[in-house]
Amino acid sequence: MRNLEQLDVEHPRSLEEAVELLAAGGQAVAGGTDLVVGVRTARQTPNRLVYVGQIRELKQIVHDSQGARIGAAVSHAELFESTVADRLPILRQALSTIGGPAIRAMGTLGGNAANASPAADGLIPLYLLDTQVDIFGPDGERSVPIQSFIRGPGSPDLHPGELIRSFTVRFPRENPLSYFRKVGRRRALVIAIASLGSLVWVDGDRIRAARLALGSVAPTVLRPARVEEALVGCDLNAPALADIARQLGDETCPIDDVRASADYRRRVAGSLLLDMAEHLQ
Amino acid sequence: MKLAFELNSRPVVLDVPPGRRLLDLLRDDLGLIGTKEGCGEGECGACTVLVDGSPKLACLMLAAQLPGCSVVTVEGLAQTGELHPLQKAFIDHGAVQCGFCTPGLLMASYALLQRHPQPSRQTVRDYLAGNLCRCTGYDQVVEAVLSVSRGGQRI
């Protein structure tokens, strides 16, 4: 087990200072819930840590009538309790399934995105809300859609010295129905075998539009574009969606791992769609 | 690094490596062995303490994250020498068996009652979901917490 105490940990006070330290080979840490375990088990081997959790710009949540900008180092618990979450029920639904209260008081969306795990519960609402990831770096600022920011498992689109500054989300129009469910062996402190979040707009019983995001069934969180299209015009009830549920399983590309087999994940993905229909109808 | 923070309402100044875990700092540097190390990777809740009023896991927090923070450990619950109402309730309801998870459960319960003085049974269960106990089966713990909230004691 590697000793964390051999690591230097820097305390930048500003974004500019943080970026200098990161460019010199540091690894950013905010809540530390994943990184501390990673270092202790030698899964991650940074030379130096840069603690960014106290930088004021990263802790802010600002919003107007159109949308919000959520600082990368805002904890899941702070975001859950914020007024922005009043406008985004899907955010509360997903955040409330992360870890337990203590993990939620520590972990951050910035950490979720930088880890780029396909199982991250916090990323599902970001995919559903067509989020832009705002990045601050030695060459200035840039923003990229979350779907291109996360290139694969553990592979965020961050150049040396760059830091996630915030997430910009737009409030969905006309308050869609929202659903989130994760399947795992426990309700708390569990990494998803499969998860589904969705925003569904309906006219009566009929689906007008739908956005789906699935966790743990592909190398990244998955927005199944063909299924989202196929849902338009369907009735929102489980029997009507049986064929599309099978199609959803086919659109995933899961792996076998310690938590579940690929085949099981494919089936669970379809079942989650039916569960969604039952819960939302 | 020179670390200044508040521990159980008293100021503390230490010279520690910035990567030292809060858990080791409490147990080995300060002799507060109430906080336990269970899994060491954030899955069991045995090391739960309060940091600036929020429950956090001492096995995942580094000294570098602590400057200026206020930390409360299980030792901070009974500072007057008398057990805290929650501690008494745990004893009265048989919520302690081997006792290893107890400090973490107490601190998580304490955090809960500070936020929700009158929690529902489901709220208690949800809030303690991050704390594993392999002895009690949890019902006694939930009863203990509910008895304190029903008793109307100020936490």
Side-chain angles (χ1 to χ4, degrees):
Chain A
M1 202 169 269
R2 187 178 155 135
N3 196 341
L4 277 163
E5 296 176 12
Q6 294 157 354
L7 280 177
D8 276 343
V9 189
E10 304 287 349
H11 283 83
R13 289 284 149 202
S14 66
L15 278 178
E16 291 76 10
E17 207 187 321
V19 160
E20 259 177 50
L21 292 162
L22 293 172
Q27 155 86 54
V29 58
T33 54
D34 196 77
L35 186 68
V36 169
V37 179
V39 172
R40 294 189 79 225
T41 56
R43 180 161 49 81
Q44 283 162 289
T45 53
N47 294 316
R48 169 154 74 149
L49 298 182
V50 181
Y51 177 54
V52 298
Q54 83 291 28
I55 297 176
R56 212 156 37 89
E57 291 104 309
L58 301 183
K59 299 288 295 177
Q60 289 169 341
I61 305 175
V62 293
H63 65 105
D64 58 21
S65 59
Q66 304 291 307
R69 189 177 305 134
I70 301 161
V74 172
S75 74
H76 298 313
E78 288 164 341
L79 183 53
F80 184 93
E81 283 159 21
S82 71
T83 51
V84 162
D86 292 339
R87 295 286 307 270
L88 296 168
I90 187 63
L91 207 49
R92 284 217 171 110
Q93 285 171 295
L95 293 175
S96 66
T97 72
I98 298 176
I103 293 285
R104 294 197 286 274
M106 302 171 78
T108 65
L109 286 181
N112 282 174
N115 271 341
S117 161
D121 308 311
L123 294 182
I124 300 236
L126 298 187
Y127 274 72
L128 290 172
L129 296 166
D130 292 332
T131 303
Q132 291 280 324
V133 183
D134 309 315
I135 298 158
F136 189 83
D139 302 324
E141 298 179 41
R142 64 191 179 100
S143 286
V144 293
I146 184 81
Q147 276 176 283
S148 52
F149 177 77
I150 293 176
R151 299 177 300 192
S155 175
D157 174 16
L158 280 176
H159 308 148
E162 285 189 327
L163 180 68
I164 304 170
R165 174 191 195 140
S166 57
F167 299 94
T168 301
V169 298
R170 291 181 76 79
F171 296 137
R173 271 182 262 175
E174 302 167 54
N175 297 328
L177 303 172
S178 68
Y179 168 88
F180 183 90
R181 181 156 177 196
K182 123 169 135 176
V183 174
R185 298 180 75 162
R186 277 174 77 186
R187 279 234 300 267
L189 294 170
V190 78
I191 295 175
I193 286 173
S195 57
L196 170 67
S198 60
L199 298 177
V200 182
W201 289 260
V202 289
D203 290 323
D205 296 332
R206 185 150 296 180
I207 298 171
R208 176 152 46 90
R211 296 181 196 166
L212 308 182
L214 294 110
S216 296
V217 297
T220 66
V221 170
L222 177 73
R223 281 281 299 268
R226 288 194 297 275
V227 165
E228 288 184 2
E229 271 173 44
L231 284 169
V232 175
C234 291
D235 281 352
L236 181 58
N237 65 62
L241 299 184
D243 285 343
I244 296 180
R246 272 188 292 277
Q247 188 188 334
L248 179 60
D250 294 340
E251 203 166 335
T252 64
C253 46
I255 56 166
D256 294 314
D257 71 6
V258 290
R259 281 180 280 279
S261 67
D263 185 52
Y264 180 70
R265 290 188 150 104
R266 221 172 272 121
R267 287 199 223 180
V268 169
S271 299
L272 281 167
L273 187 73
L274 302 180
D275 184 68
M276 175 198 92
E278 274 175 19
H279 276 83
L280 295 185
Q281 76 186 34
Chain B
M1 66 181 276
K2 190 174 155 188
L3 167 65
F5 71 112
E6 191 184 273
L7 178 59
N8 297 331
S9 309
R10 292 195 187 85
V12 175
V13 181
L14 286 174
D15 193 14
V16 289
R20 191 155 176 77
R21 299 183 305 167
L22 172 57
L23 180 69
D24 300 322
L25 198 151
L26 291 171
R27 292 181 57 89
D28 299 342
D29 300 345
L30 297 166
L32 297 183
I33 57 172
T35 305
K36 304 294 190 236
E37 176 160 24
C39 66
E41 45 188 54
E43 292 186 3
C44 77
C47 65
T48 305
V49 298
L50 260 63
V51 179
D52 292 338
S54 291
K56 297 205 174 176
L57 301 176
C59 78
L60 297 180
M61 271 201 90
L62 305 180
Q65 294 169 304
L66 285 172
C69 289
S70 170
V71 177
V72 182
T73 67
V74 71
E75 288 88 351
L77 288 187
Q79 275 183 318
T80 57
E82 196 182 334
L83 290 181
H84 187 275
L86 259 175
Q87 291 171 306
K88 288 185 190 158
F90 269 53
I91 293 170
D92 292 344
H93 289 81
V96 180
Q97 287 188 35
C98 88
F100 198 82
C101 68
T102 308
L105 273 166
L106 282 167
M107 297 316 290
S109 304
Y110 179 67
L112 165 68
L113 292 178
Q114 288 200 318
R115 281 177 171 65
H116 306 283
Q118 303 286 326
S120 68
R121 185 174 294 268
Q122 191 57 46
T123 302
V124 175
R125 298 195 83 96
D126 287 345
Y127 208 84
L128 300 183
N131 293 77
L132 289 180
C133 170
R134 299 288 83 166
C135 304
T136 62
Y138 304 104
D139 274 351
Q140 299 92 320
V141 176
V142 174
E143 288 302 332
V145 176
L146 288 172
S147 79
V148 174
S149 70
R150 277 196 298 267
Q153 283 129 316
R154 200 179 147 76
I155 297 298

